[in-house]
Amino acid sequence: MTRFLIIGTQRSGSTLLRRYLDSHPGIRCGGEIFVMRGGQPQVYDTWRRSTARRRAGHWLRRTNQVYQYLDSFFSQSDAHIMGFKILYSHLRRLPYRYPMVIDYAQTGGFKIIHI
């Protein structure tokens, strides 16, 4: 499977690119999977709150928790190309979470789409 990460700033066209990629039948692009949208909880937060073990893991072993979440994200589809989007403002606003995402992408051989 080819994995990718779209990274950029607000108002750069990253959402449009994500939607175009996600509309292709062989590509799945999960969007901003760590950020709340329209009052809906973050996909990651919903996942980590789903069991007591995950809730504890968020505080005790956060790096492993984020890695497990990303592993589960990439395992839930039969698409040959998968990715998600992150913005630079998220990197600054949530420094306790995003360095782990960048490390995961670097060690996982991700393709980076920088906008």
Side-chain angles (χ1 to χ4, degrees):
M1 171 188 297
T2 301
R3 298 176 179 190
F4 67 89
L5 175 64
I6 300 171
I7 187 165
T9 61
Q10 287 86 353
R11 314 286 306 157
S12 63
S14 59
T15 299
L16 183 61
L17 175 62
R18 184 200 69 77
R19 287 182 180 162
Y20 282 150
L21 291 172
D22 201 39
S23 70
H24 188 282
I27 300 174
R28 177 160 185 257
C29 189
E32 298 171 24
I33 59 177
F34 287 97
V35 178
M36 183 188 295
R37 284 285 175 223
Q40 297 298 316
Q42 301 171 1
V43 178
Y44 170 74
D45 281 344
T46 301
W47 178 85
R48 78 172 175 85
R49 292 178 181 155
S50 64
T51 67
R53 184 177 187 174
R54 289 180 183 162
R55 286 190 297 274
H58 176 72
W59 300 108
L60 301 174
R61 48 187 182 85
R62 190 170 290 153
T63 299
N64 290 343
Q65 184 89 3
V66 170
Y67 283 18
Q68 286 175 0
Y69 170 68
L70 289 170
D71 286 342
S72 73
F73 172 78
F74 285 106
S75 68
Q76 62 183 311
S77 175
D78 59 352
H80 298 292
I81 302 170
M82 280 187 74
F84 61 96
K85 177 180 126 174
I86 227 176
L87 297 176
Y88 282 115
S89 62
H90 302 157
L91 296 171
R92 286 190 306 269
R93 190 175 66 214
L94 299 169
Y96 58 87
R97 185 175 299 157
Y98 286 108
M100 298 144 199
V101 174
I102 300 301
D103 291 342
Y104 184 90
Q106 288 175 334
T107 59
F110 277 55
K111 307 293 184 196
I112 305 295
I113 303 170
H114 184 265
I115 295 182

